[in-house]
Amino acid sequence: GTIGEAVREATARGPRCCALPAWPSCPASPIVPLACPTHHSFHVHRSLAPYSRKPALYYMSLVALVALLLLPLLGIALRRLGFWQLLPSSLQALLLAVQQVIRAAVALCLHLAFASLLHCPLQVACSIQQGRSSCCKYRLPYTTGFLFLTAMSGAESVKLLKVRTITTGVQLSSDSATWREIIRTAAAFNTLTASTLQESGFEVQTTRISTNSFEEYLELSDPAAALVKMRELDAILTEENVQLFNAGPATSTAGVDLAVEAIKLSPRISCSAKVNDLDWEMALHVARAVLRIGAETEGGEGNFQFCASFNVAPGVPFFPAAYHAGEPSFAFGCETSEVIAASLTSAKGDMASARNMLLDCMHEQLAPLEELGYALSQSN
């Protein structure tokens, strides 16, 4: 029947029953009868059925609240006591997965909470018993619980830390037939890692691949042939959609000369020149290479792809100094300026407090990233 008929019917059968208009944006939506406590029937919009009794999601919100409070506290306690690394990787992955499920559930709760707040007063047609609405009895705790969960989730997901780069290091050999598969595997891992971090609330700006020194997989005695191989490598990078690739450091003057040509060849390829202490000849050669790149690339921007490096260890994620040695590995390069700014602002000029706040804030921001990285390393 129509809303008017439902209102007249409810009114005629006594003051203990009432009806309100259905949701105005859905006039054609189906309506279903619900049992009235006075053993009469009246009509209500179908979407109101969950509100006519104590909702199961009310209990779920309490369980989610407890879990959302306890899991981060458990993780912090494990890290503070040094037990996290002692946990089996499968248990670490399970804890992280549970946290992700809770975050996803809370995102759904946001919609349901606002639906409870905004829709219920407009849609509910319910019985009135002893001056109170039985179907709306649980609306306040139901909504409050969900909104609190949502606020908790939002606060937890605020990341002051930005992931500037995910850099995966791999070892290339002189057998160019193996290059494509190695690069493809590294690129796939970067994509997986970026997705995992983004789902956890981190901003990921770039993904990159670094290798051992190109002098180990290119023949420098024939510069023309070496440049041909570099073109072959660049073609693979293009086909595998790798935008940022580091061919490692040059350790000789011949390597520096090839690095200049590689940078002129492609905007995807970066490299560096390793300068040892007091090696004036190498330092001078590198300086001349910088001048060449500045003059021979558009706007001199090729020097964003090249640098002189001193005492740089393998595994550094930042370009152009990054390079790799040993088994495949990966590293996160982070932007921490907002972490520092937040810590120093809170200290209000007290340097001792600033130091402690910075340490605490760095730990709070970096620990979740470390946990994700450790879980990824164990599962890949």
Side-chain angles (χ1 to χ4, degrees):
T2 65
I3 293 297
E5 292 171 351
V7 172
R8 286 192 295 273
E9 180 182 357
T11 304
R13 291 179 179 176
R16 297 173 64 190
C17 294
C18 69
L20 298 177
W23 187 240
S25 63
C26 307
S29 298
I31 52 179
V32 295
L34 295 178
C36 179
T38 57
H39 306 294
H40 298 302
S41 294
F42 63 96
H43 294 84
V44 61
H45 192 279
R46 185 184 298 276
S47 65
L48 299 182
Y51 298 101
S52 64
R53 57 189 179 276
K54 191 169 185 175
L57 286 175
Y58 172 73
Y59 296 108
M60 292 172 59
S61 69
L62 297 180
V63 173
L65 175 60
V66 173
L68 197 63
L69 287 172
L70 292 183
L71 278 177
L73 292 176
L74 176 62
I76 291 172
L78 290 173
R79 290 193 298 272
R80 292 284 187 181
L81 297 175
F83 292 149
W84 178 262
Q85 301 296 341
L86 301 179
L87 295 177
S89 58
S90 58
L91 181 56
Q92 291 183 0
L94 177 61
L95 289 174
L96 292 173
V98 170
Q99 286 182 324
Q100 295 305 311
V101 170
I102 291 175
R103 289 191 184 102
V106 169
L108 176 61
C109 289
L110 176 61
H111 169 75
L112 294 176
F114 279 103
S116 176
L117 267 179
L118 301 178
H119 293 188
C120 188
L122 294 176
Q123 290 181 285
V124 169
C126 56
S127 63
I128 303 297
Q129 289 183 317
Q130 298 176 353
R132 291 188 301 173
S133 168
S134 60
C135 71
C136 292
K137 179 178 179 181
Y138 303 101
R139 189 178 73 216
L140 181 59
Y142 172 74
T143 301
T144 304
F146 274 152
L147 287 177
F148 183 66
L149 281 172
T150 303
M152 289 282 295
S153 176
E156 183 183 7
S157 65
V158 172
K159 309 293 184 186
L160 298 175
L161 194 82
K162 293 181 174 64
V163 179
R164 174 61 178 165
T165 175
I166 300 167
T167 302
T168 296
V170 293
Q171 194 92 3
L172 295 185
S173 69
S174 57
D175 183 5
S176 59
T178 64
W179 292 355
R180 182 181 296 276
E181 185 57 33
I182 293 173
I183 291 171
R184 178 179 293 165
T185 301
F189 175 76
N190 278 345
T191 300
L192 170 66
T193 303
S195 176
T196 301
L197 266 56
Q198 288 166 345
E199 289 172 359
S200 299
F202 288 98
E203 176 185 330
V204 178
Q205 298 174 351
T206 65
T207 60
R208 313 178 187 190
I209 297 174
S210 65
T211 70
N212 48 312
S213 171
F214 61 88
E215 294 182 3
E216 298 176 13
Y217 53 87
L218 298 178
E219 183 54 61
L220 297 187
S221 61
D222 187 350
L227 193 58
V228 169
K229 285 293 185 182
M230 193 65 83
R231 286 195 180 93
E232 180 181 339
L233 178 59
D234 183 58
I236 293 173
L237 298 175
T238 302
E239 292 168 9
E240 299 299 330
N241 196 30
V242 176
Q243 302 300 320
L244 294 167
F245 178 89
N246 201 307
T251 59
S252 64
T253 55
V256 172
D257 292 337
L258 181 60
V260 173
E261 298 303 320
I263 289 167
K264 291 164 56 180
L265 172 69
S266 170
R268 284 170 288 277
I269 299 176
S270 296
C271 50
S272 61
K274 183 179 289 188
V275 181
N276 298 319
D277 293 341
L278 303 180
D279 189 345
W280 300 108
E281 181 182 354
M282 184 65 166
L284 184 59
H285 201 79
V286 172
R288 289 170 178 159
V290 170
L291 292 175
R292 279 189 59 196
I293 294 171
E296 297 175 17
T297 60
E298 184 177 357
E301 293 184 359
N303 275 314
F304 284 114
Q305 302 165 239
F306 182 76
C307 73
S309 63
F310 300 82
N311 299 322
V312 177
V316 172
F318 292 108
F319 280 29
Y323 70 100
H324 176 71
E327 294 297 314
S329 63
F330 66 98
F332 301 140
C334 300
E335 287 187 3
T336 58
S337 57
E338 291 187 24
V339 180
I340 297 172
S343 303
L344 297 182
T345 301
S346 302
K348 298 180 180 179
D350 185 341
M351 292 306 296
S353 297
R355 181 182 185 277
N356 293 332
M357 288 180 179
L358 179 58
L359 289 173
D360 290 342
C361 195
M362 279 289 190
H363 178 83
E364 178 186 349
Q365 294 289 318
L366 286 168
L369 187 62
E370 179 188 34
E371 293 171 12
L372 289 170
Y374 187 77
L376 285 162
S377 70
Q378 296 301 302
S379 59
N380 292 273

